[in-house]
Amino acid sequence: MLNSFKFWFMLVVVSLISTCFAQDKIIPIVEIDDDVITLAEFEKEYIRSNGNKRADLKGYKEFLDVYTGFRLKLKDAIEKGYEEDPDLLKEYEDYKKRVSKTYYQTKFIKSPGLRKYYKQSQLEFRVAHILVKIDTTRNENVALELANSIIDSVNNGSDWVEMAARHSGDPKTAENGGDLYYYSGAKLGGEFLKSLLVTEIGKIASKPVRSRFGYHIIKVLDKKEGIPAVSAKHILIKGIDSTGVVNEEKAKKLCEELHQRVINGESFEELAKQYSDDKGSGSRGGALGFVPRGRTVRPFDEVLFNTKPGEVSKVFKTRFGYHFLTVVEYQEPPEFKEFVKQAGKTYDKAYFKQDYVAYIDSLLKHYQYQIVEENLEKIGNAFAKRRLNEITIDQEYSTFKDLIIMKYSDNKFAFENIVEKYSKDARFQNVLLTAGFLKRLVKTQFENDVIEAEIKLVEDNDKEFQNIMTEYKKGLLIFKLQETDIWKNVKIEEQDKKEYYEKNKDNFQWPKRLVVTGVSHQDKNILDSLVNVAKSKNGLSEEILKGFTNFEMKKDTILASAVKKIGRLLSNLNENEFSQPFKLKDGSWSVIYLEKKLAEIPKTYQESESEIASKILEHKNKIAEKEYIKGLIERYEPEYFYENLEQAFK
């Protein structure tokens, strides 16, 4: 509990006290001995805590008082020698070790990778494909061989459309040249996106791409900057007469007349309300809102995404009737930060590994990594039937131990170095010492050594990382001070808790709750039988369950508000009723039995005691902290220049 609280406390403290000085705003706001809080520092911290929200002079003064309190506590902690506290130093070093690797990977691999993925995701591709399916008539190898032969045939002059009609296993696109229409880079992802990025417009990808359906031969029909969505208004004329018969000629004529009236200056919105057969959008003046690519039928989509904002399209036909539209605006791509929230996990899953490998490859070149193949072969031939943990100091080992097997920069690694480092590593106890295994192992050794060295360079030279660690250490110091000199002296008496309960007992209530039992079984029919028996007995009981085997059951009391989390399963149930059966991830079936609905009732003192103690402790801690800061102000006598706050953010 304390560690969890400490972690979140640290985040708040680091956020509040991290400091960056601007050279052009060194106006003093507070002086504490030789220490100065400048206007630049104040502005930076205010933005960090409040975003772009601004305040009046009173609000700035209040924030400055709080921040000055933090700075006074930090000064006090340093003077008390807490910087040398062994536990604090250990926690600092442990955190530094954890965060440095994450920071390094984020800065040099993940952040550049995300930026690249961000740009790629804003592209859109018109793609055609030929799907070579893998099924009972065609295994993986046969499918791959056929896919490669189709690529060769097209490259040698065979007609793409004809090959799609003959070979594609996608019935929806086989007859139209495999045209899949437009896809955004963000939706494609994975191997498809990689292939499309390196393939020119009008060309087919050099290799087929595997999916769960089989192998896809890809042709790029178009590639351009995408528009996420288009806001538009439209008018639809179906041309249905009073008998329900569609008169296309009449529909087209009316649509063209309305189109001309809009061109002549009449209100699009009023005409849509009066004439459009799309009653939903018609009542809104034809407004469709933002429509993403591919959401509508293709003829509509093509006109929509090829009409510029402010323009009125020509009259066009879809299976719904005749339309024309006007584009209000194009949706802008998401900001990078928003994109990371939406697509960060996709990047981690689909792209981080390949970016990591590419980065390691760049380090191999930078450090002039070299495998001594000749020596690896000699060792592999001599020790291929032995394992690392079986190596003994004998005549044979002595013959090979000094052979260099890997070099980079000025570093050389002999066979002896590998044996000493890995012979007791449990991961390699049962692996034979072949040349191939040794090659992989020394590359791993290189990665570990070089990444460790690169991280050390970051720790010693990267200002941003050093700032992170400086602020974390400040947070540790303040927490140490709070824990040792302020919170430690706060006591909660039993009488305090009882008095608080009596004054506030109306605030301590059990909310509405449900007593439920979840029952599951692999066989749905058996589960249905149990439910039927329970219904005939007016409820589920231990006695009923004895008549069935291999059931899993869990009884619990949950908040009625939790019904939102399990959808409609419980929302309409009465007491002694069962939910509909539903399938679990492991393939078994489950039902929920609602035994009882508990009304909202007051909590007893005993049931409320821990919550009361927490509230009192929080209140007393705040009082103790105010008193402590008051004492620090009396001791250090900070000098405030509140008048300079009038220049804040100007």
Side-chain angles (χ1 to χ4, degrees):
M1 177 69 74
L2 182 59
N3 287 338
S4 176
F5 170 70
K6 189 173 183 177
F7 173 76
W8 290 110
F9 175 84
M10 294 298 304
L11 291 181
V12 172
V13 170
V14 169
S15 173
L16 180 61
I17 67 176
S18 58
T19 304
C20 180
F21 293 90
Q23 296 300 317
D24 59 343
K25 282 201 174 183
I26 56 173
I27 300 167
I29 303 298
V30 180
E31 290 182 359
I32 309 167
D33 294 338
D34 295 331
D35 197 8
V36 179
I37 300 175
T38 67
L39 182 61
E41 180 181 350
F42 169 83
E43 290 179 346
K44 203 76 174 179
E45 295 309 322
Y46 186 88
I47 290 171
R48 197 183 301 277
S49 296
N50 301 282
N52 292 322
K53 183 181 178 182
R54 298 291 179 259
D56 55 17
L57 188 59
K58 180 182 177 184
Y60 292 151
K61 285 181 179 179
E62 289 173 354
F63 180 81
L64 180 61
D65 289 342
V66 172
Y67 183 64
T68 303
F70 274 95
R71 291 289 298 271
L72 289 170
K73 286 188 290 183
L74 180 62
K75 184 177 178 66
D76 189 37
I78 293 171
E79 290 184 0
K80 281 178 162 49
Y82 291 153
E83 281 186 304
E84 305 303 320
D85 180 80
D87 292 337
L88 185 147
L89 291 173
K90 182 179 184 304
E91 185 164 348
Y92 174 82
E93 290 300 327
D94 288 346
Y95 179 78
K96 182 179 180 181
K97 187 176 181 179
R98 292 195 308 273
V99 79
S100 60
K101 185 174 183 180
T102 301
Y103 177 87
Y104 176 80
Q105 288 189 348
T106 299
K107 181 166 185 174
F108 295 101
I109 305 173
K110 187 170 181 176
S111 289
L114 277 167
R115 286 283 179 186
K116 180 176 70 175
Y117 180 43
Y118 175 60
K119 291 180 180 178
Q120 292 171 352
S121 72
Q122 293 176 36
L123 295 174
E124 66 175 10
F125 305 84
R126 188 162 188 170
V127 184
H129 80 142
I130 296 172
L131 170 62
V132 180
K133 296 181 74 172
I134 297 172
D135 53 30
T136 54
T137 64
R138 185 188 293 136
N139 64 28
E140 174 120 7
N141 291 333
V142 173
L144 179 57
E145 186 178 345
L146 176 57
N148 283 320
S149 71
I150 293 171
I151 291 174
D152 290 339
S153 295
V154 174
N155 285 335
N156 288 323
S158 294
D159 183 70
W160 170 268
V161 174
E162 183 183 326
M163 297 296 279
R166 186 191 308 171
H167 294 291
S168 185
D170 180 358
K172 292 182 178 179
T173 65
E175 298 303 321
N176 70 342
D179 189 359
L180 293 166
Y181 200 51
Y182 281 97
Y183 280 88
S184 71
K187 285 188 176 180
L188 283 164
E191 295 300 318
F192 281 93
L193 180 56
K194 294 177 201 173
S195 183
L196 291 168
L197 287 167
V198 298
T199 305
E200 295 178 13
I201 296 173
K203 303 291 186 180
I204 63 171
S206 59
K207 294 179 181 179
V209 176
R210 181 73 158 87
S211 78
R212 60 191 177 94
F213 302 107
Y215 284 97
H216 302 258
I217 303 154
I218 298 172
K219 183 174 184 178
V220 178
L221 303 178
D222 191 18
K223 186 190 303 189
K224 60 185 180 182
E225 288 289 331
I227 303 167
V230 177
S231 175
K233 303 170 188 175
H234 87 130
I235 292 175
L236 166 65
I237 304 298
K238 294 180 178 179
I240 302 176
D241 63 22
S242 58
T243 63
V245 176
V246 176
N247 186 325
E248 281 202 22
E249 186 178 344
K250 182 179 178 182
K252 183 180 180 183
K253 183 179 179 182
L254 175 57
C255 198
E256 289 175 340
E257 289 175 359
L258 294 172
H259 179 269
Q260 189 60 48
R261 289 169 68 177
V262 169
I263 297 298
N264 291 339
E266 289 193 49
S267 168
F268 192 106
E269 292 79 4
E270 292 304 318
L271 291 175
K273 290 176 182 178
Q274 185 175 353
Y275 291 101
S276 182
D277 288 326
D278 178 357
K279 299 305 179 186
S281 67
S283 64
R284 301 188 299 271
L288 296 168
F290 278 105
V291 182
R293 170 71 93 175
R295 179 67 59 84
T296 63
V297 293
R298 188 177 297 185
F300 193 98
D301 189 276
E302 287 179 332
V303 175
L304 179 66
F305 279 82
N306 284 291
T307 304
K308 295 179 180 178
E311 289 183 350
V312 178
S313 75
K314 295 180 179 179
V315 172
F316 61 96
K317 184 182 178 183
T318 72
R319 68 172 186 262
F320 301 105
Y322 286 90
H323 315 246
F324 66 95
L325 59 82
T326 182
V327 168
V328 179
E329 62 177 317
Y330 291 160
Q331 187 178 68
E332 292 294 323
E335 294 292 330
F336 179 68
K337 287 184 179 179
E338 188 61 32
F339 173 80
V340 171
K341 291 179 185 177
Q342 297 171 2
K345 289 183 179 179
T346 301
Y347 169 81
D348 290 342
K349 185 177 179 180
Y351 295 100
F352 177 76
K353 186 176 180 180
Q354 73 179 46
D355 286 346
Y356 180 84
V357 170
Y359 186 76
I360 293 298
D361 287 343
S362 72
L363 293 179
L364 292 174
K365 293 177 182 177
H366 177 74
Y367 285 92
Q368 299 177 319
Y369 173 79
Q370 182 182 353
I371 291 287
V372 185
E373 298 279 0
E374 181 183 353
N375 290 344
L376 272 179
E377 288 297 326
K378 289 179 182 179
I379 296 167
N381 291 334
F383 294 91
K385 294 184 178 181
R386 294 165 71 177
R387 295 171 175 81
L388 264 176
N389 59 314
E390 295 172 345
I391 300 295
T392 56
I393 309 302
D394 55 21
Q395 184 61 41
E396 186 176 30
Y397 174 68
S398 298
T399 303
F400 293 95
K401 69 183 184 70
D402 293 326
L403 288 181
I404 303 299
I405 56 178
M406 183 260 285
K407 298 185 287 186
Y408 69 89
S409 297
D410 296 326
N411 300 284
K412 296 180 180 180
F413 281 82
F415 180 45
E416 179 182 37
N417 301 125
I418 296 299
V419 172
E420 289 176 352
K421 187 170 183 66
Y422 293 105
S423 60
K424 295 182 181 180
D425 193 319
R427 295 174 297 170
F428 309 119
Q429 294 293 303
N430 296 310
V431 183
L432 294 173
L433 276 174
T434 62
F437 167 68
L438 283 171
K439 194 171 185 177
R440 293 191 298 273
L441 192 59
V442 295
K443 187 178 180 183
T444 299
Q445 178 64 41
F446 165 80
E447 287 183 30
N448 292 340
D449 288 351
V450 168
I451 292 293
E452 187 176 321
E454 291 278 311
I455 289 173
K456 186 67 171 64
L457 287 173
V458 165
E459 292 175 353
D460 294 342
N461 301 292
D462 191 291
K463 297 299 182 185
E464 184 181 355
F465 178 78
Q466 290 171 350
N467 284 340
I468 290 172
M469 294 311 303
T470 297
E471 302 316 321
Y472 185 76
K473 191 169 187 178
K474 290 177 183 178
L476 286 174
L477 286 167
I478 288 181
F479 186 87
K480 176 71 177 176
L481 182 79
Q482 302 271 86
E483 189 178 45
T484 305
D485 298 275
I486 302 176
W487 298 334
K488 185 179 179 181
N489 300 320
V490 174
K491 307 293 183 185
I492 302 177
E493 304 295 339
E494 184 69 18
Q495 188 60 31
D496 294 336
K497 293 186 287 186
K498 289 182 177 179
E499 288 178 1
Y500 189 92
Y501 176 74
E502 289 301 322
K503 290 179 181 178
N504 301 279
K505 62 171 58 178
D506 290 344
N507 296 327
F508 297 101
Q509 300 279 332
W510 283 114
K512 292 179 181 179
R513 291 166 293 159
L514 307 174
V515 180
V516 298
T517 301
V519 185
S520 60
H521 196 279
Q522 288 293 330
D523 191 323
K524 183 176 181 294
N525 292 327
I526 296 176
L527 184 66
D528 289 340
S529 297
L530 181 144
V531 171
N532 290 333
V533 171
K535 286 179 178 178
S536 69
K537 302 288 186 181
N538 296 318
L540 184 66
S541 66
E542 294 285 346
E543 195 64 31
I544 291 172
L545 287 168
K546 288 178 182 178
F548 296 86
T549 58
N550 298 322
F551 272 91
E552 290 190 15
M553 183 183 78
K554 183 180 180 182
K555 186 172 182 177
D556 203 357
T557 300
I558 64 174
L559 298 178
S561 58
V563 171
K564 295 177 183 177
K565 298 180 181 178
I566 50 178
R568 302 177 206 169
L569 290 173
L570 300 179
S571 58
N572 297 317
L573 292 185
N574 296 314
E575 291 184 355
N576 293 322
E577 288 186 348
F578 287 87
S579 72
Q580 291 296 316
F582 56 95
K583 201 169 187 177
L584 301 175
K585 288 183 179 179
D586 63 3
S588 62
W589 288 85
S590 184
V591 294
I592 298 176
Y593 169 64
L594 176 55
E595 180 180 333
K596 201 170 186 180
K597 293 184 176 182
L598 301 177
E600 186 176 292
I601 57 172
K603 289 183 180 180
T604 64
Y605 169 72
Q606 287 74 19
E607 291 170 333
S608 309
E609 189 173 4
S610 62
E611 190 178 351
I612 292 168
S614 177
K615 289 181 179 295
I616 294 175
L617 184 62
E618 181 182 1
H619 178 67
K620 287 195 170 187
N621 279 342
K622 286 181 179 179
I623 293 174
E625 186 173 355
K626 285 182 180 179
E627 289 299 314
Y628 195 86
I629 291 174
K630 184 178 178 181
L632 293 177
I633 291 172
E634 291 174 356
R635 188 201 314 173
Y636 292 112
E637 298 182 339
E639 185 176 1
Y640 295 86
F641 301 94
Y642 287 123
E643 66 276 10
N644 290 338
L645 287 174
E646 294 179 0
Q647 300 179 53
F649 303 106
K650 293 179 180 177

